[in-house]
Amino acid sequence: MAKTSGDEAAPWLPTRQFRLVKLSSMAGSTVESYDFAVFGSIAALAFSKVFFPSLGPVAGSVASLAVFSSAFLARMVGGVFFGQFGDRLGRRRVLIATLILMGIGTLGVAFLPGAAAIGIIAPVLLLLLRLVQGFSLGGEYAGSILLVVENTPPSRRPAVVAWPLLGGTLGFVVASLVLLVVSLAMSQEAFLAWGWRISLLFGAVLILIGLFIRSRIEETKDFSRFVRADQPFRSPLRAVTRGHLAEIGMGVAMFTTPFAFNYIAASYLIAYARRQLHLEPTTVLIADTCSGVVYVLSVLIGVWVSMRMGVTRALLVFGAAEAVIALTLFPLVDLAPPFTYAIGVALALSCSAFAAVPAWIIMIHAFPVGLRYTGSALTYNTAAVAGGAVSPLIAVWLHTAVGSEAIGLYLLLLVCLGTGLGRRLAGRATNA
């Protein structure tokens, strides 16, 4: 990767303002992770009976998970939409708008009557509100990363990426704890009747906190310099797809790998533990919650290695580690559950964490400042569909057709493609 060319001596943010920037980026990713974790759990536990009672337990569960998964496609559309405004109007305005829209979707679901009260309108409105949530999330995560990166001197950027990444872990852990407390504090009947709404209302509180913090921050330094020196693109999407299509393709390959590890750990392995390993739900929940600690450590390892070795070498080192984990994941999980199951989930989540630091730095600097939001959001959310929505389905098919060892080979293929094309993308990037 090209040597840093940014102006290290240029004035950056005062310490107090930069603390707000870091908290703001962390708040956004916390809300995103909390929303997805809570909505996914509620969809599996309650939505089939609340919104799809006439379909029966099996078809109702499928319909609930389909509503949950619809957010992936909405994220991709939202990433393009908000990315263009972020490249034309600035990062701060868009990030405030995404949180407001996310709050509307979350509160809407929290107060939405069930099918028993308003009939077929209930599941229709549930789907629409979920699409609103996904649409807003499409512009949120890339903007949260840009918020800290573009306010930091280039040599320190791998370190600040940790803030939004750790926010994602915090959201997952808080979601697990809130659901655990709510489920233990009431009967199953009460949870189905109204208890599930408490977790969504708590998510709305997190959004209000995030809005308060974001209202006090300024525009990023990189974007402010860009608009002083040049005019924003009239159509950032057209410019980025015409001039940077190769970068988008390589970035999608690079980010599909961590998404695949993340969602196989967070969704497929949970079902695998119940169906194949016959583990109790409480055991699975405890293992998944504890794996959040490993995720935090993995992010910090990603920062340390990236700062010491540079992001290109760090990507290669983590690619080698991912390859080993891909091939040993399911043999390890099957070895002596529940202990080895907990280790396997933690290792899979670590693969989605430590390589994310160099990957984000490489991808952001593969696009010029005036196209960064659009390019990053389009790339990241396309990878979310390829790795997050599709990979668990491929895992189910491979396990049924061949066996669990085939899932490891599939992950290995993603690692090889992602690392190889990520290294090529790093060669095109500047200022990183």
Side-chain angles (χ1 to χ4, degrees):
M1 178 175 294
K3 187 177 177 58
T4 295
S5 59
D7 186 5
E8 296 285 348
W12 295 89
L13 289 179
T15 302
R16 185 172 179 275
Q17 180 69 14
F18 190 54
R19 287 198 189 105
L20 286 176
V21 167
K22 290 188 288 188
L23 287 174
S24 178
S25 68
M26 190 175 187
S29 58
T30 299
V31 169
E32 177 194 35
S33 177
Y34 180 91
D35 172 81
F36 261 72
V38 164
F39 199 100
S41 298
I42 295 174
L45 295 173
F47 281 177
S48 62
K49 296 181 180 179
V50 175
F51 294 103
F52 304 98
S54 62
L55 297 181
V58 177
S61 296
V62 172
S64 299
L65 294 176
V67 170
F68 169 73
S69 299
S70 68
F72 283 102
L73 293 177
R75 280 181 64 165
M76 192 159 59
V77 177
V80 172
F81 178 84
F82 287 112
Q84 292 200 89
F85 281 102
D87 282 330
R88 296 182 63 187
L89 304 178
R91 291 38 167 145
R92 177 182 176 274
R93 293 181 184 179
V94 168
L95 287 171
I96 291 176
T98 57
L99 272 186
I100 292 174
L101 194 59
M102 194 185 308
I104 292 172
T106 300
L107 282 174
V109 176
F111 290 107
L112 181 63
I118 59 175
I120 190 63
I121 298 176
V124 173
L125 290 177
L126 177 68
L127 175 61
L128 290 176
L129 289 168
R130 184 56 180 166
L131 292 174
V132 168
Q133 288 179 318
F135 185 73
S136 63
L137 289 172
E140 173 61 40
Y141 202 82
S144 295
I145 298 284
L146 289 178
L147 193 63
V148 286
V149 168
E150 292 190 342
N151 277 310
T152 308
S155 65
R156 296 293 305 167
R157 288 178 175 180
V160 298
V161 169
W163 284 89
L165 293 179
L166 292 176
T169 309
L170 178 62
F172 176 80
V173 172
V174 172
S176 299
L177 292 176
V178 169
L179 285 170
L180 183 61
V181 170
V182 170
S183 62
L184 292 176
M186 61 185 65
S187 65
Q188 180 67 18
E189 292 75 17
F191 181 83
L192 288 174
W194 56 270
W196 59 270
R197 301 178 189 272
I198 296 175
S199 56
L200 292 171
L201 292 173
F202 186 79
V205 172
L206 295 179
I207 291 173
L208 290 175
I209 295 173
L211 278 173
F212 174 75
I213 296 172
R214 284 189 178 169
S215 67
R216 305 178 65 188
I217 63 173
E218 301 174 357
E219 187 52 73
T220 69
K221 291 293 184 179
D222 275 5
F223 188 78
S224 296
R225 291 181 186 129
F226 165 72
V227 295
R228 286 197 300 265
D230 205 346
Q231 290 291 323
F233 291 88
R234 292 185 62 184
S235 176
L237 177 61
R238 183 184 304 167
V240 80
T241 52
R242 285 183 176 180
H244 300 274
L245 201 56
E247 285 84 352
I248 293 172
M250 289 184 281
V252 168
M254 181 174 62
F255 268 104
T256 294
T257 304
F259 267 115
F261 274 106
N262 191 314
Y263 280 88
I264 283 179
S267 60
Y268 178 77
L269 278 180
I270 293 176
Y272 186 86
R274 297 286 293 127
R275 185 179 65 252
Q276 299 293 129
L277 305 179
H278 308 293
L279 298 181
E280 293 297 323
T282 304
T283 303
V284 174
L285 181 61
I286 292 173
D288 291 346
T289 304
C290 291
S291 66
V293 177
V294 178
Y295 187 98
V296 171
L297 294 175
S298 300
V299 170
L300 298 178
I301 291 171
V303 169
W304 186 79
V305 174
S306 297
M307 294 291 291
R308 296 273 298 184
M309 302 179 61
V311 292
T312 305
R313 290 183 179 178
L315 188 72
L316 296 176
V317 168
F318 293 136
E322 289 169 342
V324 174
I325 293 173
L327 292 176
T328 58
L329 178 60
F330 280 90
L332 175 65
V333 166
D334 292 337
L335 187 61
F339 178 68
T340 54
Y341 166 78
I343 294 176
V345 171
L347 288 175
L349 286 177
S350 71
C351 289
S352 71
F354 47 43
V357 175
W360 268 110
I361 297 299
I362 289 170
M363 184 176 72
I364 285 174
H365 292 91
F367 302 102
V369 175
L371 299 176
R372 238 178 226 172
Y373 208 140
T374 304
S376 299
L378 176 60
T379 302
Y380 182 75
N381 289 299
T382 302
V385 175
V390 176
S391 289
L393 300 178
I394 292 177
V396 171
W397 176 75
L398 287 174
H399 184 264
T400 302
V402 182
S404 60
E405 63 275 8
I407 303 175
L409 294 175
Y410 165 69
L411 289 172
L412 178 63
L413 175 63
L414 293 182
V415 170
C416 293
L417 286 174
T419 304
L421 291 176
R423 185 174 182 274
R424 289 192 63 184
L425 182 62
R428 294 170 177 247
T430 58
N431 278 349

